[in-house]
Every structure is written in C-alpha cells, then in structure tokens.
Amino acid sequence: MDKRAITGLIARLQNRIIRHGWVTTRVVAPPQDLRQRILILRLVLGACGS
C-alpha cells in the first residue's frame, strides 16, 4: 500500500466510526516501517465531559 491508499483506508474507517456516532474517536497510523508489509492502525477513543 502506498501513502494514498493508507490515507483513503483511514478516511473510510473514520467515516464509518462517525456514522456510528463515535465522533470523538480517531483512527491513526503511528510511524512504522512498512517493508515487512504489516500496517498497524491505532484506534484512539475519545470522550466527552469530565
């Protein structure tokens, strides 16, 4: 996967999460070496209020 494909994948996942109402949750790709052909995405859970 190239950078454009990864960005598109993250955008699709993010939109799906938002459609489920989780508007403060984010999908991120931490820095990594993709030469091993493994992509790690991190789900960062958000919260509202205290």
Side-chain angles (χ1 to χ4, degrees):
M1 291 183 106
D2 61 3
K3 184 177 179 179
R4 186 173 169 183
I6 293 170
T7 301
L9 173 63
I10 291 172
R12 288 191 303 277
L13 290 170
Q14 187 68 55
N15 288 336
R16 189 169 204 165
I17 289 167
I18 290 170
R19 280 196 305 272
H20 279 80
W22 303 336
V23 296
T24 60
T25 298
R26 296 290 174 253
V27 177
V28 297
Q32 54 196 292
D33 181 358
L34 296 177
R35 288 179 287 190
Q36 295 178 355
R37 302 176 57 104
I38 297 172
L39 174 64
I40 298 171
L41 298 177
R42 183 165 288 144
L43 189 65
V44 180
L45 303 177
C48 293
S50 51

